[in-house]
Amino acid sequence: MKIALPLTATNEFSTHYGAAAKFVVFEVDPEKRCVRRQVVIDPQSSEPCGWPPLLRAAGTDLVLAGGMGHGARTKMAEHGLKVLLGVAASAPADLIAGWLAGTLVAGENACDGGDHEGGPGHHGHHHGHPHPHDHERGCGCSH
């Protein structure tokens, strides 16, 4: 299984998907609860709407994010990617370790609320809060 996390330019977890500079993709073994390898993906496009096909091509199954707009979540689903939202800022390796241990807690989507999906020990939530800001770019997906 492969899990992607959005990163800032300084390799920190970017809590807002649309503000990511790049991604780290961890290949994990959920049964053995270990990381097999990781790779950094630097998107050629700065347009978040183009990132789901790139992540899917890298074999990603799940994206962890603090916040993601509805349109971006729709594009993720169209490419077969699950999303776990409301993830609090922490070191990427710590977030993956928490996911593998089943202790990673998802909170409210920092963008606009929504359904949360995830791995071991996760369950769905629904939050109906409006997004405090929209990041409408050319594609209109509200990343």
Side-chain angles (χ1 to χ4, degrees), residues 5-20:
L5 284 78
L7 298 178
T8 65
T10 57
N11 296 319
E12 296 176 59
F13 177 64
S14 175
T15 56
H16 187 255
Y17 166 79

Side-chain angles (χ1 to χ4, degrees), residues 8-33:
T8 65
T10 57
N11 296 319
E12 296 176 59
F13 177 64
S14 175
T15 56
H16 187 255
Y17 166 79
K22 53 191 162 185
F23 293 87
V24 61
V25 177
F26 289 88
E27 183 178 343
V28 300
D29 183 333
E31 290 181 19
K32 294 182 180 177
R33 296 182 182 203

Side-chain angles (χ1 to χ4, degrees), residues 2-77:
K2 293 185 180 181
I3 304 171
L5 284 78
L7 298 178
T8 65
T10 57
N11 296 319
E12 296 176 59
F13 177 64
S14 175
T15 56
H16 187 255
Y17 166 79
K22 53 191 162 185
F23 293 87
V24 61
V25 177
F26 289 88
E27 183 178 343
V28 300
D29 183 333
E31 290 181 19
K32 294 182 180 177
R33 296 182 182 203
C34 68
V35 174
R36 291 184 176 168
R37 67 183 63 89
Q38 69 184 56
V39 63
V40 173
I41 297 175
D42 203 351
Q44 297 297 313
S45 169
S46 62
E47 183 56 57
C49 293
W51 299 344
L54 176 69
L55 293 172
R56 191 66 198 152
T60 302
D61 302 294
L62 173 66
V63 178
L64 304 183
M68 182 183 294
H70 176 75
R73 291 191 315 267
T74 299
K75 291 200 179 290
M76 290 287 182

